Amino acid sequence: MPSTPLSPALALETVLANVAARPTETVAHSQLLGRTLAQNAIAPFDLPPFDNSAMDGFAVQAADLTEPNARLKWVETVAAGEVAKGAVSRGHCLKIMTGAPIPHGADAVVMREETAFDGEWVRFETSAKTGQNIRKRGSDVREGEVVLAQGTPLRAAQWAMLASLGFAETEVFQTPKIGILTTGAELVAPGEKRREGQIYDSNSFALRGLVEATDAQIVESRRCGDSPAEVEKHLRELAAKCDLVVSSGGVSAGDFDPVRDVLHEHARVHFWKIAMKPGKPVLFASLGETPIFGLPGNPVSVMVAFEEFVRPAILKLSGRRFLHRREVRAKLAHEIRRTPGRTEFMRATLHFQNDHFVASVRGDQGSGRLSTMTNADALLVIAPEIATLKAGDWVYARLIEMPENH
């Protein structure tokens, strides 16, 4: 079953060429968190919709407060949600709360802490400048402005922005439905009794966590042994109800690699093997119209291959604008020696110092060492022709977590 390994770049290009965004639907605002905008969100009005006070204090005419200790007569109090009954004239002031509309005649707000209130009179311990502590109409968003672009994921800030503009419902892409299959007769679930030769299944949990981080919906996560008939049954059932299926194990070149055999026999295989480390035996196929990833069985290979290929595919299904992790340049903290020939994704921690990132490779880079992923901030992308990198050399680092000290 010969297969020439693709470069990671060509493999990703092939994946994305075989994945399309889900259809759209209109969803109530309360259900939008984690969804992706299917059209530009355009402001229907200015935000703020009127000039308002940035703090609790007194609305004044700045010309009355050219020097400290001026006294003005208090005439009214206005709270947020109310409108002043009268205007502010020379020699007078109005007590105002944060968010309340600026009354006619006023052109500045003095914070409460800089005043002394004595009956009907207010003494101001400071001078005032025109426009101070006033949030001007449209200073945040102008009517007709695109506030959120199509393909934007709706996190807390974006959700709040749509609420502030009165969007009761919004058109978004349908949430991708993902199926997970973990194969291997040696796997047992955490909590089950483990016999000699067996190991606890970690891949299904890694995949579930990685999928959930994309905001996709996991329809079902299954585990099965190495029977080709059983693998085919699970893959067909998952493909029938999911937009994408990701499996782990069973795709190498051994005697017990049923996912490889089943997909070569029953699916349209786009590629098998990528010139990368870890994760060379990645298989990508379509079973009917459903994309299927066959990832290796080693846990680090699963997570690295997911980051590089599965995550971008899910994000494209979701309708996202940006499919790739942020990439930064970093200086190596130490020398690296490796065997050239394949693009290598090295697990590393990053520290920010002296205006740049410094990268340290995390331990032995074997694909079975899951511990090297637990503290990794980034994957260092090492070109296939490079054999040695010296301390201080610049490398590209693909962020998988934002370093805590950044």
Side-chain angles (χ1 to χ4, degrees):
M1 195 178 299
S3 177
T4 302
L6 297 184
S7 69
L10 184 54
L12 180 58
E13 182 181 323
T14 303
V15 167
L16 296 179
N18 286 276
V19 174
R22 300 285 298 128
T24 65
E25 60 185 352
T26 300
V27 174
H29 181 268
S30 62
Q31 303 300 312
L32 287 177
L33 191 62
R35 304 297 293 271
T36 302
L37 275 180
Q39 59 183 10
N40 292 341
I42 298 173
F45 51 79
D46 290 336
L47 195 67
F50 47 81
D51 293 357
N52 69 91
S53 179
M55 59 186 57
D56 294 343
F58 290 87
V60 301
Q61 290 191 13
D64 280 334
L65 302 180
T66 56
E67 295 182 2
N69 297 316
R71 295 173 76 243
L72 300 177
K73 190 173 183 180
W74 166 76
V75 293
E76 187 182 347
T77 297
V78 60
E82 298 179 353
V83 178
K85 297 180 178 65
V88 174
S89 58
R90 291 297 299 271
H92 296 79
C93 65
L94 183 149
K95 194 175 185 180
I96 192 168
M97 304 299 132
T98 303
I102 299 297
H104 293 296
D107 60 8
V109 173
V110 178
M111 69 173 61
R112 193 171 186 173
E113 292 83 351
E114 295 177 337
T115 65
F117 203 8
D118 181 16
E120 294 184 350
W121 294 89
V122 181
R123 182 172 59 84
F124 292 82
E125 300 169 352
T126 182
S127 59
K129 293 181 179 180
T130 301
Q132 75 177 41
N133 300 324
I134 293 177
R135 295 185 290 220
K136 301 295 289 183
R137 174 177 176 170
S139 57
D140 188 10
V141 172
R142 288 290 186 184
E143 180 180 349
E145 178 182 344
V146 175
V147 291
L148 298 171
Q150 175 184 335
T152 298
L154 299 177
R155 307 298 184 205
Q158 293 81 12
W159 198 25
M161 174 58 77
L162 292 176
S164 72
L165 292 168
F167 283 84
E169 58 184 25
T170 303
E171 187 178 357
V172 292
F173 290 97
Q174 292 179 9
T175 301
K177 298 175 181 177
I178 311 300
I180 296 172
L181 179 63
T182 308
T183 69
E186 75 280 12
L187 301 178
V188 293
E192 294 181 0
K193 185 175 181 180
R194 181 175 59 84
R195 300 192 307 271
E196 185 175 357
Q198 292 184 317
I199 59 173
Y200 286 118
D201 168 27
S202 63
N203 285 346
S204 65
F205 298 97
L207 289 172
R208 282 167 57 184
L210 291 167
V211 170
E212 287 179 0
T214 68
D215 297 315
Q217 176 189 355
I218 298 174
V219 171
E220 197 170 351
S221 180
R222 301 183 180 186
R223 183 186 301 113
C224 73
D226 295 320
S227 160
E230 187 181 8
V231 167
E232 181 186 351
K233 172 179 176 293
H234 286 300
L235 287 177
R236 287 192 181 280
E237 289 177 354
L238 289 172
K241 64 175 70 172
C242 298
D243 301 309
L244 182 146
V245 176
V246 55
S247 71
S248 67
V251 292
S252 192
D255 294 335
F256 299 98
D257 286 303
V259 174
R260 175 204 63 196
D261 295 338
V262 166
L263 290 177
H264 272 92
E265 182 176 354
H266 299 285
R268 186 170 78 260
V269 174
H270 304 291
F271 62 76
W272 174 50
K273 295 182 182 178
I274 304 174
M276 63 181 282
K277 181 181 180 182
K280 180 181 178 181
V282 172
L283 191 153
F284 178 59
S286 295
L287 187 56
E289 298 300 316
T290 305
I292 295 183
F293 286 93
L295 305 185
N298 283 317
V300 175
S301 297
V302 166
M303 298 187 76
V304 171
F306 186 98
E307 281 290 330
E308 295 303 310
F309 309 107
V310 186
R311 182 178 180 273
I314 294 176
L315 295 184
K316 186 172 181 182
L317 280 170
S318 302
R320 295 285 179 83
R321 294 174 64 203
F322 303 110
L323 308 181
H324 310 295
R325 294 286 196 185
R326 179 187 170 196
E327 197 166 83
V328 300
R329 294 184 75 215
K331 276 189 176 182
L332 278 175
H334 51 77
E335 183 182 68
I336 291 176
R337 293 181 179 273
R338 61 182 291 273
T339 302
R342 287 186 281 170
T343 301
E344 188 163 359
F345 299 90
M346 291 188 166
R347 289 82 78 192
T349 54
L350 300 181
H351 297 278
F352 198 74
Q353 63 183 47
N354 299 327
D355 299 323
H356 64 268
F357 285 106
V358 175
S360 301
V361 172
R362 298 295 301 180
D364 187 297
Q365 293 291 296
S367 60
R369 292 183 175 269
L370 184 56
S371 61
T372 61
M373 289 294 295
T374 58
N375 294 314
D377 303 314
L379 298 174
L380 304 186
V381 185
I382 311 300
E385 66 275 10
I386 293 176
T388 304
L389 289 165
K390 303 185 295 296
D393 282 352
W394 289 97
V395 293
Y396 285 103
R398 212 159 277 168
L399 298 180
I400 53 178
E401 295 284 349
M402 179 56 71
E404 292 186 358
N405 72 332
H406 177 48

